[in-house]
Amino acid sequence: MAQTDEKLIKEILKGNESAMEILVKRHYDLVHSYIYRTTNDYSTSYDITQEVFIKMMKNIDKYNLESGKFKNWLLKIAVNTTKDYFKSKTYKQRNENCDIENHQIEDKSNVIDIISKKEEAIKIKEAVENLPKLQREAILLKYYNDLKIKEISTITGDNENTIKSRLYNGIKNLKKLLGGDMCEEQSKHLQPKM
């Protein structure tokens, strides 16, 4: 039977390096997929994911074992590290140097690598990418990482009503971006549970 995150953390605090390896492997895909969907760039998401796990290792002693929500604590580090990246000189310089031709090639490879070839999934992915950053963040945490509004509030540091508003407006914007032809089934999956 697999050990809980909390048991692994207790082992890590005793100096058990293999427990750290298990913990990183267990949560790597979750962190990387959130960052990839946020940055839409594979190499950048890889670098930021590495940074998140370095921060996790350095700060593991600050994690509150009683809270029992290691995944949320780790996602909070991922959200904040990604926000820091968007504020960085590297991102700003890269954005200035990015030409349209390069961007189109990148988008095609991202679609092939990450999203299944279904047309609906591609349309939704592109629509999510075109949402304002805060709405996109809320949508990704809620629907791709399956978090509750309260958990998103804790991770982002914003109150629950703000999160609900971002989800509501994000869904409304998605419907507009998808040309109102978003099928009823897709629309049901994206309704925030209040």
Side-chain angles (χ1 to χ4, degrees):
M1 194 165 110
Q3 289 185 319
T4 64
D5 292 340
E6 285 66 29
K7 283 182 183 173
L8 288 170
I9 292 165
K10 285 177 185 173
E11 289 296 312
I12 292 165
L13 295 173
K14 292 178 191 172
N16 183 338
E17 288 181 25
S18 64
M20 178 66 80
E21 192 178 324
I22 293 167
L23 195 64
V24 170
K25 281 182 181 176
R26 181 178 290 173
H27 295 286
Y28 187 88
D29 288 342
L30 169 83
V31 171
H32 183 259
S33 66
Y34 167 76
I35 294 169
Y36 180 82
R37 286 183 180 113
T38 305
T39 62
N40 200 31
D41 181 274
Y42 185 80
S43 65
T44 299
S45 65
Y46 176 79
D47 292 343
I48 296 172
T49 301
Q50 300 310 311
E51 194 177 331
V52 167
F53 282 104
I54 289 168
K55 286 180 180 179
M56 179 206 80
M57 289 178 211
K58 286 182 180 175
N59 295 295
I60 196 83
D61 58 325
K62 294 181 179 107
Y63 171 70
N64 179 0
L65 282 163
E66 273 70 64
S67 73
K69 291 285 184 179
F70 176 75
K71 179 178 100 169
N72 294 355
W73 182 77
L74 186 59
L75 273 172
K76 185 172 188 164
I77 295 172
V79 167
N80 290 333
T81 305
T82 306
K83 283 180 181 177
D84 290 344
Y85 165 73
F86 284 122
K87 293 176 193 170
S88 72
K89 279 185 186 176
T90 309
Y91 172 72
K92 289 174 182 158
Q93 287 172 344
R94 189 168 178 218
N95 243 15
E96 288 170 10
N97 298 334
C98 186
D99 62 24
I100 293 169
E101 195 173 272
N102 251 354
H103 192 67
Q104 287 174 341
I105 292 166
E106 210 175 89
D107 282 350
K108 286 178 187 169
S109 66
N110 288 342
V111 169
I112 292 167
D113 290 343
I114 298 300
I115 300 291
S116 70
K117 292 174 185 159
K118 294 177 186 172
E119 236 173 83
E120 289 172 7
I122 293 168
K123 284 181 189 175
I124 291 172
K125 178 184 181 284
E126 288 171 354
V128 169
E129 287 170 10
N130 288 311
L131 290 174
K133 277 185 189 171
L134 294 173
Q135 290 175 12
R136 183 173 66 227
E137 177 184 85
I139 294 281
L140 290 174
L141 289 170
K142 174 80 176 126
Y143 300 106
Y144 289 85
N145 292 297
D146 202 28
L147 296 177
K148 293 176 175 62
I149 290 172
K150 187 174 186 168
E151 293 171 320
I152 298 169
S153 171
T154 303
I155 289 168
T156 62
D158 297 312
N159 72 48
E160 290 181 35
N161 287 334
T162 301
I163 301 302
K164 287 177 186 177
S165 172
R166 287 178 188 160
L167 287 168
Y168 175 80
N169 290 320
I171 291 165
K172 202 163 81 175
N173 286 335
L174 278 176
K175 287 179 182 179
K176 280 183 203 167
L177 289 167
L178 292 166
D181 63 354
M182 190 171 171
C183 73
E184 205 50 45
E185 201 54 38
Q186 291 168 328
S187 181
K188 285 178 196 167
H189 293 297
L190 293 174
Q191 291 305 318
K193 292 166 184 76
M194 303 291 175

